[in-house]
Amino acid sequence: MASLQDSPGDSSFVLNDKDVKDFPFSLDSDDDMGSTSDPANDKDKLHPEVLKDLETHQAFMRQAINVAEEALAGGETPVACVLVYSKEVVARGMNDTNRSLNGTRHAEFLAISEFLSKFPVSKMKETDLYVTVEPCIMCASALRQYGIRCVYFGCGNDRFGGNGSVLAVHSDKGLEEGYPSYGGIFRKEAIMLLRRFYIQENENAPNPRAKGNRELKPVV
């Protein structure tokens, strides 16, 4: 998505690329956060493979959303994930980049670390990831190298997405076997979490901007 700016005559806001130095995502909706009434906007459509067991996928994604809520409450970018092995959540992760000031502390890396403390890496081939935002190129590559079975995500990331939005790291030809990836599960909820975060002041940003005059725009 593009930058944070007030629209003329409107106190709500949109996110645009030129003003996201403290925000690592460009979401998968239009600059006005998209009109779901637009027939061309199919980002809310779910893949038939997801629809086969939608209730199960939503239940696991809801757990990822809940972890993202915890991140938001702690002042962290609300991106989170869960790893599911043998139909159970066995590891969780939330972004830790603001607190640690370490750009590699993405939710997927923290979840992988917890997983590997419990299981051998070979079990990753029997494990699925549910993450609120499409994995970035870095995380998409790590997931492929670790052999993740499948990735399900909420909203896409048009700025750094590694599962199709920018690069198809999950399926491009490579030395490691690729993995299927499906988006759109609780997409709107994932976007709203990020909006709620971004109207707050980010004290760790290089040049914090006053955001007290911005209001949360509810339409996705």
Side-chain angles (χ1 to χ4, degrees):
M1 193 182 299
S3 104
L4 245 191
Q5 62 180 19
D6 289 323
S7 302
D10 185 359
S11 60
S12 60
F13 71 91
V14 294
L15 303 176
N16 295 308
D17 286 338
K18 59 186 177 182
D19 195 23
V20 291
K21 293 179 181 178
D22 57 340
F23 191 71
F25 303 104
S26 175
L27 303 182
D28 61 2
S29 47
D30 297 330
D31 284 350
D32 64 353
M33 294 309 289
S35 171
T36 54
S37 62
D38 183 355
N41 186 352
D42 61 354
K43 296 176 192 264
D44 290 311
K45 293 182 180 178
L46 297 174
H47 192 279
E49 192 63 31
V50 174
L51 294 174
K52 288 179 182 179
D53 196 3
L54 181 59
E55 191 171 316
T56 295
H57 295 310
Q58 287 181 330
F60 288 132
M61 187 63 78
R62 175 56 63 188
Q63 293 197 51
I65 291 284
N66 290 342
V67 178
E69 289 276 9
E70 293 179 26
L72 178 64
E76 186 57 73
T77 310
V79 177
C81 66
V82 296
L83 285 170
V84 177
Y85 171 69
S86 192
K87 299 183 180 181
E88 292 185 7
V89 171
V90 295
R92 298 168 175 80
M94 67 174 71
N95 262 31
D96 189 43
T97 55
N98 282 345
R99 184 197 63 80
S100 67
L101 300 180
N102 183 338
T104 68
R105 300 277 289 173
H106 286 198
E108 294 92 332
F109 276 75
L110 272 63
I112 289 172
S113 179
E114 181 182 348
F115 181 90
L116 294 178
S117 72
K118 302 174 181 178
F119 304 98
V121 67
S122 61
K123 293 298 182 182
M124 196 71 77
K125 294 184 180 297
E126 304 170 42
T127 301
D128 300 323
L129 173 78
Y130 290 81
V131 59
T132 57
V133 178
E134 176 188 1
C136 70
I137 293 168
M138 174 180 69
C139 291
S141 177
L143 290 165
R144 182 166 181 168
Q145 293 177 61
Y146 276 111
I148 195 75
R149 182 170 65 182
C150 187
V151 168
Y152 301 91
F153 62 87
C155 63
N157 180 352
D158 289 343
R159 197 165 180 226
F160 299 118
N163 282 28
S165 291
V166 178
L167 294 178
V169 175
H170 68 298
S171 60
D172 283 346
K173 292 182 179 179
L175 296 176
E176 303 87 7
E177 184 178 353
Y179 57 86
S181 181
Y182 307 105
I185 306 171
F186 290 139
R187 170 181 170 270
K188 294 178 181 179
E189 288 85 345
I191 289 175
M192 290 305 298
L193 276 168
L194 291 167
R195 285 187 184 176
R196 286 163 57 195
F197 169 78
Y198 204 52
I199 62 172
Q200 303 174 24
E201 188 71 40
N202 183 0
E203 297 178 355
N204 293 322
N207 298 298
R209 296 174 178 82
K211 300 173 184 175
N213 63 335
R214 294 193 170 102
E215 299 177 3
L216 187 66
K217 187 176 181 180
V219 179
V220 176

